[in-house]
Amino acid sequence: QVQLVESGGGLVPTGGSLRLSCAASGRTVSRTTMAWFRQAPGKEREFVAAIRRNGGLIYYADSVKGRFTISRDNAKNTVDLQMDRLEPEDTADYYCAAATTEISSTVARDTAYAYWGQGTQVTVAS
């Protein structure tokens, strides 16, 4: 079993920055793909970014490309999401997710991830 705990959410003005962090415990996630998803009020959960175990392959949703940066520290069992130039449309609950193995073609599908955190709220004021 893997437990994921997100932190770093909050309220920021448009154009501001936040850094989300996800700490994994239980089983190591250093060999699996990790990702961030988000869910805005009244909308379905959507993919934000994913990173493979060695950080060599990274994937972003088009809506965040160039503004968000995902990174991981396998020694610390953490994955971070640096969010810059935030927009009101980025307001959502953000969730960390871990797959049970390395994935590639399914990185954007929430069904590809077995473990989820409780989420952290991000609000971008207009």
Side-chain angles (χ1 to χ4, degrees), residues 3-21:
Q3 293 78 43
L4 303 173
V5 178
E6 303 96 336
S7 61
L11 172 65
V12 294
T14 297
S17 297
L18 277 176
R19 188 175 184 89
L20 305 183
S21 186

Side-chain angles (χ1 to χ4, degrees), residues 1-123:
Q1 285 291 338
V2 174
Q3 293 78 43
L4 303 173
V5 178
E6 303 96 336
S7 61
L11 172 65
V12 294
T14 297
S17 297
L18 277 176
R19 188 175 184 89
L20 305 183
S21 186
C22 173
S25 61
R27 203 177 74 182
T28 181
V29 293
S30 64
R31 298 187 182 90
T32 70
T33 300
M34 301 286 292
W36 286 93
F37 285 75
R38 67 186 181 186
Q39 186 167 20
K43 295 188 177 181
E44 293 186 355
R45 185 162 56 188
E46 65 174 0
F47 170 75
V48 175
I51 184 169
R52 297 191 71 179
R53 64 179 180 178
N54 61 6
L57 284 176
I58 292 175
Y59 309 83
Y60 293 104
D62 288 343
S63 58
V64 307
K65 204 172 292 184
R67 301 188 298 122
F68 291 12
T69 304
I70 189 171
S71 60
R72 66 189 296 166
D73 186 331
N74 288 334
K76 296 181 179 179
N77 243 12
T78 59
V79 60
D80 290 351
L81 185 69
Q82 176 66 39
M83 305 186 296
D84 298 317
R85 304 201 307 276
L86 283 161
E87 304 167 352
E89 293 74 22
D90 296 317
T91 294
D93 291 327
Y94 283 71
Y95 297 89
C96 176
T100 57
T101 185
E102 285 278 61
I103 58 177
S104 56
S105 61
T106 57
V107 290
R109 299 180 191 172
D110 56 3
T111 54
Y113 298 88
Y115 304 105
W116 292 84
Q118 293 299 307
T120 185
Q121 189 174 54
V122 171
T123 303

